Amino acid sequence: MASIGFSAQQIILLVALGASLLTVTRAATVIVGGSENWRYGYNYTEWAANTAPFYFQDTLVFKYENSTPPHSVYLLPNLWSYSTCDFSKAKLLANPTQVKGDGFEFVLNQWRVFYFASGEANDCKEGLMKMVIVPWPRF
């Protein structure tokens, strides 16, 4: 029976690789829209695609002042509701007056698809105020 031997360099490489996989990285705090914040007319679907990946325990911060028209943050239940901007089964996360100062924080604490949108006036359909986030586990 032939023995399988590893060199010292191979063992060090394997240990280093294993350690890097076990390294726990900190969760990030991400301001939705970056310097644009949460406002009418900014494409959040594109922003989310360009900002990804998002990870478990990352915190999304929705910032908007008392604007005219006002904005909100809803969690939509599925792709159909997201695509059609149907808020009938959506969960209100933050109303137009809840997001002053530091903003409204939402922690991505599940492995699922999150559909977010503003439910005020035409924010979702015409104002592009909707996005899809899929958080990934950290390795």
Side-chain angles (χ1 to χ4, degrees):
M1 180 193 260
S3 66
I4 299 175
F6 291 100
S7 71
Q9 287 177 330
Q10 289 172 322
I11 292 171
I12 291 170
L13 180 61
L14 287 172
V15 170
L17 180 61
S20 69
L21 291 175
L22 295 176
T23 301
V24 178
T25 56
R26 289 186 140 180
T29 299
V30 182
I31 297 173
V32 174
S35 63
E36 296 293 326
N37 293 325
W38 186 238
R39 68 167 182 84
Y40 186 91
Y42 186 74
N43 189 333
Y44 293 93
T45 301
E46 185 176 296
W47 172 84
N50 291 335
T51 305
F54 298 92
Y55 296 97
F56 288 126
Q57 302 307 319
D58 281 355
T59 300
L60 300 179
V61 181
F62 292 83
K63 287 186 173 188
Y64 55 93
E65 297 299 321
N66 289 338
S67 57
T68 304
H71 307 301
S72 58
V73 181
Y74 279 85
L75 183 61
L76 297 151
N78 53 47
L79 180 59
W80 176 256
S81 296
Y82 172 82
S83 298
T84 61
C85 294
D86 176 5
F87 291 86
S88 62
K89 295 181 182 175
K91 178 181 179 183
L92 177 64
L93 300 177
N95 69 38
T97 61
Q98 285 180 282
V99 201
K100 296 178 183 175
D102 293 335
F104 166 74
E105 295 185 356
F106 184 87
V107 178
L108 300 171
N109 59 5
Q110 297 175 7
W111 186 34
R112 59 166 277 197
V113 179
F114 290 94
Y115 301 99
F116 296 99
S118 176
E120 309 307 310
N122 291 317
D123 283 356
C124 183
K125 287 184 180 178
E126 295 173 13
L128 305 173
M129 293 186 72
K130 64 181 184 177
M131 65 179 180
V132 177
I133 303 287
V134 180
W136 294 97
R138 293 182 191 277
F139 294 105

